Amino acid sequence: MSFKLPELNYSYNALEPNFDARTMEIHYSKHHNGYANNLNAAIKGTDLENKSIKEILSSLDLNNSALRNNGGGYFNHCLFWEILSPKGGGIPNGEIFNEINKSFNSFENFKENFSKAAASRFGSGWAWLCINSNNRLEICSTANQDNPLMPGIGCEGIPILTLDVWEHAYYLNYQNRRPDYIKAFFNIINWEKVNELYISNT
Ligand code: MN
């Protein structure tokens, strides 16, 4: 079995003006595709070929850098595309809204904390909203292509929302203005999907 790129539920230009078409195209067809190809090469002929990406990452040896970088890169982008929508943004409905209020006091407070995690990640990485082992929501960030499924990463849980803060995700449109990119992200979050992920993982 080999890992394939997921189909996008929207076209490259559908997220404009928040995420521009050229960035989306390069990000998906070059960057994400590269991680998928390198992941497939890393697991070829091993027993990992029969495992799911979640299984591979949750039993990862952090010293295996090919698997760590490319398995992470493959999974992280799959989740990222899934939680974006041209009809997204705003304030969520449903259980995720109640749980955000419980965990962070208010949606505004959640937004501020998540934005801070994304803005303060030095260099390349990701910001996350996770379900922790106590079934509560938690915000954290990781470097490079690491993610909360990886054991011992210092940010553990089941990720249900994520933001890519690598420069390749925003530089064409936003250059050094990462805070503007983070603001734009909040206009296109697919909260229905995040709510679904929350419900199916608790
Ligand atoms: Mn990326």
Side-chain angles (χ1 to χ4, degrees):
M1 192 187 84
S2 65
F3 291 102
K4 295 190 169 53
L5 289 193
E7 269 187 44
L8 296 180
N9 295 318
Y10 39 79
S11 56
Y12 291 141
N13 66 5
L15 304 176
E16 289 192 342
N18 298 290
F19 290 5
D20 67 287
R22 183 86 178 117
T23 297
M24 285 300 296
E25 182 177 1
I26 297 170
H27 201 174
Y28 175 82
S29 71
K30 306 287 185 210
H31 292 276
H32 196 186
N33 196 42
Y35 295 119
N37 290 340
N38 292 335
L39 167 63
N40 288 328
I43 61 171
K44 201 173 173 174
T46 75
D47 58 355
L48 297 177
E49 273 188 310
N50 304 312
K51 295 199 169 167
S52 73
I53 187 63
K54 278 192 169 178
E55 286 171 329
I56 291 176
L57 296 178
S58 39
S59 60
L60 178 75
D61 170 4
L62 294 180
N63 293 317
N64 186 340
S65 53
L67 203 54
R68 180 177 179 174
N69 293 333
N70 296 296
Y74 175 75
F75 174 87
N76 298 352
H77 290 90
C78 288
L79 178 63
F80 188 41
W81 309 137
E82 200 178 14
I83 55 86
L84 298 174
S85 166
K87 293 180 192 144
I91 291 174
N93 288 309
E95 288 187 36
I96 188 68
F97 181 69
N98 297 332
E99 196 51 41
I100 282 175
N101 283 326
K102 253 193 241 166
S103 298
F104 307 107
N105 298 319
S106 69
F107 181 77
E108 275 315 302
N109 201 35
F110 155 75
K111 188 173 173 178
E112 197 185 314
N113 289 337
F114 187 92
S115 300
K116 229 181 255 172
S120 61
R121 164 53 51 191
F122 183 77
S124 298
W126 296 75
W128 303 94
L129 177 65
C130 300
I131 304 168
N132 68 19
S133 51
N134 299 320
N135 264 355
R136 301 302 298 271
L137 294 177
E138 209 173 292
I139 290 166
C140 61
S141 86
T142 54
N144 303 317
Q145 296 296 353
D146 290 346
N147 71 45
L149 296 173
M150 298 175 177
I153 218 73
C155 158
E156 262 127 281
I158 301 165
I160 58 171
L161 173 73
T162 190
L163 175 60
D164 188 345
V165 295
W166 282 59
E167 282 187 345
H168 70 225
Y170 61 85
Y171 207 85
L172 286 181
N173 197 29
Y174 292 99
Q175 293 81 49
N176 61 322
R177 291 174 284 116
R178 190 192 285 185
D180 291 347
Y181 162 73
I182 296 167
K183 258 185 224 153
F185 169 68
F186 275 90
N187 296 329
I188 48 174
I189 296 176
N190 184 346
W191 282 113
E192 244 173 76
K193 178 45 84 176
V194 179
N195 190 43
E196 249 177 69
L197 290 171
Y198 173 72
I199 290 168
S200 62
N201 283 292
T202 46

